Amino acid sequence: GDSVTQMEGPVTLSEEAFLTINCTYTATGYPSLFWYVQYPGEGLQLLLKATKADDKGSNKGFEATYRKETTSFHLEKGSVQVSDSAVYFCALSARGATNKLIFGTGTLLAVQP
Amino acid sequence: EAQVTQNPRYLITVTGKKLTVTCSQNMNHEYMSWYRQDPGLGLRQIYYSMNVEVTDKGDVPEGYKVSRKEKRNFPLILESPSPNQTSLYFCASSLLRTGTYNTGELFFGEGSRLTVL
């Protein structure tokens, strides 16, 4: 079945460091791909998305490119801030399916001043 | 303000005592869903609904019930809670996915942390 694998955390970085959180997926067809972010004590909110191969999703300085050849959707940010500390979830939504999202296990990011 | 509202946010209960977690959305979304979040397992879907009076099981439906009598509400019912249902629960809603350009982006509530003793 469809699945998402993302790197284990926690990831601890200093402010202004470069961030990469790896995400790979297994799915039939061409799913839509998402990154959701969960700040402490809050629900998940959409960070960015991509709906087809080579699309780049971007928001708040974060970027991710839909790579069909490597079935990946890695999240990157050039310079993290303390306020970026949160749990990041990679997810997919299979084409032709209902609105169900399949989530990875989440990666905790801690940014230190 | 567009939102998904869950209540209660925190609840401690005992084994076997029926409880309901309410969920309401004000975005006129057809699709609603419940997820549970557990450490190391991410989010897993419990039940979903594609419209009023239409519900179906997700990946982990055992021990839960839902109903969809109105479009805006989708309560989660635990008839006889057990300790393995201790978890963080999220309700989510979205427009119903109908084509290539509607990705079914989900809007989440703030979560309900349930502890069953």
Side-chain angles (χ1 to χ4, degrees):
Chain A
D2 297 348
S3 65
V4 174
T5 303
Q6 59 182 107
M7 63 188 288
E8 299 255 346
V11 174
T12 303
L13 297 173
S14 298
E15 210 164 19
E16 300 184 2
F18 184 86
L19 168 71
T20 300
I21 300 178
N22 291 336
C23 171
T24 58
Y25 68 89
T26 301
T28 53
Y30 304 96
S32 295
L33 301 174
F34 305 83
W35 278 100
Y36 279 80
V37 59
Q38 183 181 29
Y39 298 105
E42 299 184 9
L44 282 75
Q45 52 187 277
L46 181 67
L47 180 61
L48 54 85
K49 66 184 179 185
T51 59
K52 62 183 186 298
D54 300 324
D55 266 4
K56 177 185 283 187
S58 61
N59 186 26
K60 299 182 181 180
F62 291 90
E63 293 183 338
T65 301
Y66 189 141
R67 300 283 187 206
K68 179 170 169 287
E69 62 277 12
T70 55
T71 61
S72 64
F73 193 55
H74 304 321
L75 182 68
E76 296 182 336
K77 187 175 185 182
S79 176
V80 293
Q81 306 300 312
V82 172
S83 58
D84 293 327
S85 299
V87 180
Y88 292 82
F89 290 92
C90 186
L92 70 82
S93 177
R95 291 215 181 281
T98 60
N99 294 46
K100 176 182 177 179
L101 288 184
I102 296 171
F103 287 89
T105 53
T107 301
L108 173 63
L109 170 65
V111 181
Q112 299 175 335
Chain B
E1 180 190 351
Q3 59 186 5
V4 178
T5 303
Q6 299 178 223
N7 280 295
R9 295 287 311 280
Y10 302 92
L11 179 64
I12 300 175
T13 189
V14 296
T15 299
K17 186 175 181 183
K18 180 179 178 179
L19 68 91
T20 299
V21 185
T22 64
C23 173
S24 180
Q25 51 92 7
N26 63 1
M27 296 169 279
N28 203 35
H29 285 164
E30 299 93 352
Y31 183 90
M32 297 186 74
S33 182
W34 278 101
Y35 285 82
R36 60 178 288 173
Q37 182 182 11
D38 300 291
L41 296 176
L43 282 83
R44 294 177 292 168
Q45 190 183 51
I46 303 170
Y47 268 93
Y48 66 94
S49 169
M50 295 174 72
N51 216 327
V52 175
E53 302 294 358
V54 180
T55 64
D56 209 345
K57 296 177 181 179
D59 297 317
V60 288
E62 294 78 18
Y64 305 94
K65 287 174 58 176
V66 292
S67 68
R68 188 91 182 273
K69 294 185 171 60
E70 304 164 286
K71 194 172 187 179
R72 63 166 40 225
N73 296 325
F74 190 47
L76 179 70
I77 303 156
L78 286 73
E79 293 272 4
S80 182
S82 61
N84 64 11
Q85 293 178 297
T86 293
S87 187
L88 179 57
Y89 292 88
F90 287 100
C91 181
S93 72
S94 73
L95 294 170
L96 191 64
R97 188 172 175 185
T98 55
T100 305
Y101 300 106
N102 175 7
T103 59
E105 170 192 339
L106 287 178
F107 295 82
F108 283 82
E110 292 185 316
S112 297
R113 184 167 292 282
L114 171 66
T115 302
V116 183
L117 302 175

